[in-house]
Amino acid sequence: MEFFIDTGNLEEIKETYAWGLIDGVTTNPSLVAKSGISQKELITQISEIVDGPISAEVISTEAKGMLEEAYELAKIHENVVIKLPMTKDGMIALADLTKNNIKTNITLVFSANQALLAAKNGATYVSPFIGRLDDIGQTGMHLIAEIKDIYDNYGYQTKILAASIRHTDHVKASALVGSDVATIPYKVLNQLFNHPLTDSGIEQFLKDHQNAK
Ligand code: G3P
């Protein structure tokens, strides 16, 4: 399973990348806004830190504008993955980018049918937002499981990228259903290490070591 970090914070990327556990980065317009620098500058700097897929999202709502943005973003670095919204225009832009071998990530996916469309048009990644489904009283993880079944039925190569992860159980559940990737916020990545028995075990071993003859 691949882990991406979902952030526009360069310090978080540097710190977590050093762990050796991070395979890529996802950003979105809200995360870019928080970074305080332009999207171009942010993606350039991330590509200097991380050797792996870096998702950069378009802002245009029409296919023509999406494609103009996409080709500019793709010039930044070969690891750039173009993030497109799950709309008709997004699908038109996706078909073009697939034909031209540009990697893509279809975002704001909330149904299995939307994920099916993304796979049919050759998306590299599809991003179901599990936390936001939980927010409205649904079970986001069920969506990941449905997409997994559908993709397996037809052998689609599109990778499932579990997004909008809010807690460590989302990571575990994504792994259990076979999500290819989870994009995880900094706080949740840090929480993955924790177990109280690990802490008390280390404490006891250190105590015993100090008391040893
Ligand atoms: O990867 C998508 C993610 O950034 C959205 O997360 O927590 O805003 O739903 P959230």
Side-chain angles (χ1 to χ4, degrees), residues 134-208:
D134 291 356
D135 289 345
I136 60 161
Q138 297 185 19
T139 304
M141 280 321 304
H142 292 169
L143 175 58
I144 306 264
E146 285 180 350
I147 298 171
K148 175 79 180 151
D149 283 350
I150 291 170
Y151 285 8
D152 286 351
N153 284 345
Y154 297 97
Y156 285 125
Q157 295 303 301
T158 301
K159 288 186 175 181
I160 303 171
L161 197 172
S164 184
I165 283 185
R166 301 284 174 71
H167 48 70
T168 54
D169 268 0
H170 275 153
V171 178
K172 180 174 81 174
S174 298
L176 282 170
V177 298
S179 188
D180 301 286
V181 192
T183 189
I184 311 171
Y186 176 79
K187 183 174 153 214
V188 178
L189 277 169
N190 275 282
Q191 290 168 342
L192 291 174
F193 291 92
N194 299 341
H195 196 286
L197 292 178
T198 305
D199 298 338
S200 59
I202 290 172
E203 204 180 314
Q204 187 64 50
F205 283 154
L206 286 177
K207 238 186 246 165
D208 292 345

